[in-house]
Amino acid sequence: THTHTSMDVQRKQIDPLDERLLSQAALNSANDILLSLCVRFSPTFVAVERRDVRLDECLDSLLAKLDDASDGAVQAENRLETGTDPDDTSSLSALAERHRLRRRTLLQHGSLLELLELPALMDACLRAGLYDEALAVAAFGNTLERRHSVQRPHQHRGKTSENDAEEEREGGEEVILSVVSSLRSRENDLRHHLLSRLRGSISMPHCLEIVTALRRLNGVELERKRAGMTLRHSSAPTELGKEMRVRRIGTMKEKEMDLEQAHSAMEMRLMVDFFEARDSWLRDSSSTSLNSVPLESTERGRNASSDERGSGQDSELLLNTIDRIRTRTFEVATQFLAIFCGASSSQTQSSSQGQPFTLLSMWLSRRVQCFLSSLESQLVDVDNAASLRDVLDATNFFASSMGRVGADFQCLLPPIFEDCLVKIVLKRWSDGVNSLEVTLKVCREAGLAGPLFSTATTSEVRNGEVRAQSGSDGDEAIQGKSSDTGTPSPPRKLLASPPLARFINAFLDGLNEARRCLLPGSSETLRRASFEVFTQVDTILQANERVVLAPGLRGEAVKLRDAAARMRRDYASCAQPYLKKAVEISFGSFDRLEEERRMEEERLTEAREKREQSRRVKQEAEEASKKAAMEAEKQEVASRLKHLAGPKLPDENLSEENQMKEVEEELDLTVSPGGDASAG
């Protein structure tokens, strides 16, 4: 502003017509303006100058460095153009090859991703149950391994100078090997998964599908072995002589035989795995059935007593277990026959063709033994013959059903059930014997005879005793003959002895249990046991009578002695023969009973003859004694008559017989018809 004002002042002072002055004034004004601008922008000018100086310095250093690197650039240019060093990875050809491989790798990016995702794909197929797809992936893994194993020696011989490419190939082979290794581990997982499926309840189609998948898995493994053998033979030198080629052909035949043996071993292992898996299922089902109680049996058992309910539940649970084991064992055997034996029958004849049947026979034998051992342990809880009969029927049906697969084990059942039946019957008998012994002991110690008598049937018992005493031997024979074909009625006279009657009831209860499930082999054992029981009861009664006859017995000693003697007499004469007869009738031994009856009749006839003979001998002896008494009496009377009449000479002409007749006539005159002698 000050500058413009001074210029206006000068213009006013100068003459407007003088152009020099005007120009001079304008020049001076421009100089002033320039000076003011320079002063105003002096910092900028200083900064530009400084940058200019710095730029010059940088350019100088850059030129110096370029001069230094010119030698290295010439050498690099020479190397890129020539590439004479084969170990140098920075040559143009090596870089171009590397770039080409990387570009090819980039173009195969999708395929490589699919290749790396093969293990995950096999896992997904395994979880989804797509066994065919999983096996296809496993077979593709074998193909990958075989391709890269075959290409590896050719690739190494093709471009030995390209170390970078070889490293890339080696890295790729490592990736392939890692993928193949992952696939093989997934193959093991697939095998375990399939075997775990066999440990459950599966139908025949599913079982066939699983076994087919396992066979295909064995085929994948066998193909891998065959590929390895082929690769070893293909990598061998081809310049062989005739002898070496023959040896090689023999080796190939041996390898083929090894493959056949490997296939047979795989098939055998598959059958063993099948049986092991199904065995696990059978064991689980058996343990589950033992812990489960049917609802129907629980509902029915609510109205029964606790003992009957427990026994019924145990027997029904045992029947359910037998039925479940029967169905599942037959199911497993049928599956094995349909899958393995059916396939082997359609194949060619080989030495290993009978292996499935051998394995099936061994497995069935083991399963039958396991079942019988478990059955024998569970039969301990069965305490009545009706439940034992039901179990026997179910087990016989099981054994006959297994006969359709060649495993009929009915011949193994009688010893088990006979022992159980004998235990049930002997328990009833032992309870009766123990009850009798305890009752007698308690009565002896307490000195009471009341429990040993029955007052309600005293008159009936007495009448029975009278009838028994008045009955003839013929009546006994008729009664025995009429009761041979049926169950004899218990003797009513035994009601007078309640302990003995209770023992007979317990013994008959045991016989009734035996008749519900009578087995041929148990009759002789029970017959011997019955004789032992009879001997034991007789010993108890003898010991009781011996104890009560001892002095110092307190309480009702007379009645106790009378009861002991009567019980022993009734047991020996009535109870024991009746029980023996009941034993034979229960076992159906009518021939033996008829023989015993015949022997008894012979014994009775012989005894009757002996009694008749003894009666005749006794009668003859009585007659002889009477006759001797009469002779003695006659002689005494004769002597008395002679004494009264005096001596009389006998006639010599008469014989002794005539003399005796005369004496008898004289005696007849002196003896009355009633047999009393007259006074004379």
Side-chain angles (χ1 to χ4, degrees), residues 124-254:
C125 294
L126 181 60
R127 288 192 298 270
L130 303 175
Y131 304 128
D132 294 336
E133 288 76 5
L135 290 170
V137 173
F140 181 70
N142 284 346
T143 304
L144 281 177
E145 184 182 14
R146 184 172 62 253
R147 285 178 181 176
H148 287 270
S149 297
V150 172
Q151 291 178 3
R152 189 183 306 167
H154 299 289
Q155 289 176 355
H156 282 290
R157 288 196 301 267
K159 297 181 180 180
T160 57
S161 61
E162 300 177 358
N163 295 329
D164 294 337
E166 291 178 1
E167 291 179 0
E168 292 290 339
R169 283 192 294 272
E170 290 177 359
E173 290 170 0
E174 291 179 358
V175 172
I176 295 298
L177 291 177
S178 64
V179 171
V180 171
S181 177
S182 300
L183 290 178
R184 288 182 181 177
S185 63
R186 299 306 189 279
E187 288 179 11
N188 295 330
D189 296 339
L190 176 60
R191 187 182 297 275
H192 293 313
H193 177 73
L194 293 174
L195 291 177
S196 65
R197 285 286 306 276
L198 287 176
R199 294 186 180 94
S201 178
I202 54 175
S203 60
M204 182 66 185
H206 289 86
C207 184
L208 182 59
E209 179 184 1
I210 291 172
V211 174
T212 303
L214 288 171
R215 279 176 170 169
R216 288 184 60 187
L217 195 58
N218 289 338
V220 170
E221 185 176 355
L222 195 64
E223 181 184 0
R224 186 163 55 245
K225 291 183 178 180
R226 183 183 292 109
M229 293 169 54
T230 305
L231 179 62
R232 285 194 297 271
H233 284 288
S234 63
S235 61
T238 58
E239 295 80 5
L240 297 174
K242 183 177 180 181
E243 184 178 355
M244 294 298 293
R245 282 199 293 274
V246 172
R247 186 179 301 175
R248 182 177 179 181
I249 292 172
T251 306
M252 288 295 294
K253 291 182 179 179
E254 293 178 358

Side-chain angles (χ1 to χ4, degrees), residues 2 26 42 78 100 104 116 122 302 347 358 396 411 416 419 489 515 577 593 605 635 657:
H2 176 70
S42 59
N78 294 331
R100 185 176 63 82
R104 288 179 58 187
L116 294 175
M122 192 169 179
R302 289 178 180 175
Q347 295 175 356
T358 304
N396 276 326
C411 59
I416 299 175
D419 294 341
S489 300
R515 292 177 66 179
L593 194 62
T605 303
Q635 291 179 3
E657 295 180 355

Side-chain angles (χ1 to χ4, degrees), residues 32-307:
D32 294 337
I33 293 171
L34 180 62
L35 271 176
S36 64
L37 290 174
C38 289
V39 172
R40 183 179 177 182
F41 294 101
S42 59
T44 303
F45 296 151
V46 173
V48 169
E49 186 65 24
R50 289 177 179 174
R51 287 189 184 91
D52 189 13
V53 174
R54 189 176 300 171
L55 182 59
D56 291 338
E57 292 176 355
C58 290
L59 289 175
D60 292 339
S61 66
L62 180 60
L63 290 173
K65 289 181 180 179
L66 287 175
D67 293 338
D68 295 336
S70 60
D71 297 335
V74 172
Q75 294 178 1
E77 184 178 1
N78 294 331
R79 289 179 180 178
L80 289 174
E81 290 178 354
T82 58
T84 56
D85 192 1
D87 297 332
D88 193 1
T89 59
S90 61
S91 62
L92 183 59
S93 59
L95 293 176
E97 181 67 20
R98 185 181 298 176
H99 177 71
R100 185 176 63 82
L101 290 176
R102 289 178 179 176
R103 188 170 182 81
R104 288 179 58 187
T105 304
L106 184 60
L107 291 175
Q108 300 294 331
H109 180 264
S111 301
L112 291 175
L113 285 180
E114 293 178 357
L115 181 64
L116 294 175
E117 289 176 355
L118 284 178
L121 177 62
M122 192 169 179
D123 280 337
C125 294
L126 181 60
R127 288 192 298 270
L130 303 175
Y131 304 128
D132 294 336
E133 288 76 5
L135 290 170
V137 173
F140 181 70
N142 284 346
T143 304
L144 281 177
E145 184 182 14
R146 184 172 62 253
R147 285 178 181 176
H148 287 270
S149 297
V150 172
Q151 291 178 3
R152 189 183 306 167
H154 299 289
Q155 289 176 355
H156 282 290
R157 288 196 301 267
K159 297 181 180 180
T160 57
S161 61
E162 300 177 358
N163 295 329
D164 294 337
E166 291 178 1
E167 291 179 0
E168 292 290 339
R169 283 192 294 272
E170 290 177 359
E173 290 170 0
E174 291 179 358
V175 172
I176 295 298
L177 291 177
S178 64
V179 171
V180 171
S181 177
S182 300
L183 290 178
R184 288 182 181 177
S185 63
R186 299 306 189 279
E187 288 179 11
N188 295 330
D189 296 339
L190 176 60
R191 187 182 297 275
H192 293 313
H193 177 73
L194 293 174
L195 291 177
S196 65
R197 285 286 306 276
L198 287 176
R199 294 186 180 94
S201 178
I202 54 175
S203 60
M204 182 66 185
H206 289 86
C207 184
L208 182 59
E209 179 184 1
I210 291 172
V211 174
T212 303
L214 288 171
R215 279 176 170 169
R216 288 184 60 187
L217 195 58
N218 289 338
V220 170
E221 185 176 355
L222 195 64
E223 181 184 0
R224 186 163 55 245
K225 291 183 178 180
R226 183 183 292 109
M229 293 169 54
T230 305
L231 179 62
R232 285 194 297 271
H233 284 288
S234 63
S235 61
T238 58
E239 295 80 5
L240 297 174
K242 183 177 180 181
E243 184 178 355
M244 294 298 293
R245 282 199 293 274
V246 172
R247 186 179 301 175
R248 182 177 179 181
I249 292 172
T251 306
M252 288 295 294
K253 291 182 179 179
E254 293 178 358
K255 296 298 182 183
E256 290 295 332
M257 294 178 62
D258 293 341
L259 288 176
E260 292 179 359
Q261 293 177 0
H263 179 265
S264 300
M266 288 180 181
E267 191 70 14
M268 176 66 71
R269 183 59 190 171
L270 178 59
M271 290 185 284
V272 173
D273 291 339
F274 175 84
F275 279 132
E276 288 179 353
R278 303 309 281 164
D279 266 342
S280 178
W281 174 56
L282 286 174
R283 287 193 298 269
D284 295 340
S285 65
S286 300
S287 61
T288 304
S289 63
L290 291 177
N291 296 326
S292 62
V293 179
L295 182 61
E296 297 179 358
S297 63
T298 305
E299 293 295 334
R300 288 195 300 267
R302 289 178 180 175
N303 299 326
S305 62
S306 59
D307 296 338

Side-chain angles (χ1 to χ4, degrees), residues 481-502:
K481 185 175 182 180
S482 63
S483 61
D484 283 344
T485 58
T487 303
S489 300
R492 298 187 62 84
K493 65 180 296 184
L494 297 176
L495 293 175
S497 303
L500 198 59
R502 284 193 292 269

Side-chain angles (χ1 to χ4, degrees), residues 419-596:
D419 294 341
C420 185
L421 178 63
V422 169
K423 290 179 182 178
I424 292 174
V425 176
L426 290 182
K427 185 177 184 302
R428 294 331 192 251
W429 292 353
S430 63
D431 291 343
V433 173
N434 293 333
S435 176
L436 175 63
E437 186 177 6
V438 170
T439 303
L440 295 177
K441 182 178 180 181
V442 170
C443 291
R444 287 197 311 267
E445 292 177 354
L448 297 176
L452 304 179
F453 293 94
S454 177
T455 59
T457 57
T458 303
S459 60
E460 297 179 0
V461 171
R462 289 176 180 175
N463 294 333
E465 290 179 353
V466 170
R467 287 194 299 269
Q469 291 176 0
S470 62
S472 62
D473 295 335
D475 296 336
E476 291 178 359
I478 293 173
Q479 182 181 3
K481 185 175 182 180
S482 63
S483 61
D484 283 344
T485 58
T487 303
S489 300
R492 298 187 62 84
K493 65 180 296 184
L494 297 176
L495 293 175
S497 303
L500 198 59
R502 284 193 292 269
F503 162 71
I504 294 175
N505 288 335
F507 192 89
L508 294 179
D509 187 17
L511 290 180
N512 291 331
E513 293 291 336
R515 292 177 66 179
R516 289 190 182 97
C517 183
L518 186 60
L519 297 172
S522 62
S523 59
E524 192 63 31
T525 304
L526 290 176
R527 187 178 287 109
R528 290 195 300 268
S530 65
F531 294 154
E532 294 176 0
V533 170
F534 297 154
T535 304
Q536 186 178 2
V537 172
D538 193 10
T539 304
I540 291 173
L541 294 177
Q542 289 181 7
N544 178 63
E545 187 178 10
R546 190 183 309 112
V547 172
V548 297
L549 288 176
L553 183 66
R554 62 180 183 178
E556 301 175 353
V558 177
K559 292 184 178 181
L560 288 174
R561 293 188 180 100
D562 184 25
R566 182 168 52 79
M567 275 194 296
R568 185 180 179 188
R569 182 176 63 253
D570 292 344
Y571 175 75
S573 62
C574 183
Q576 187 173 357
Y578 166 72
L579 292 179
K580 289 182 178 180
K581 187 175 182 180
V583 168
E584 299 300 333
I585 293 176
S586 299
F587 295 156
S589 303
F590 296 107
D591 296 337
R592 183 191 293 267
L593 194 62
E594 183 67 22
E595 184 178 357
E596 290 183 356

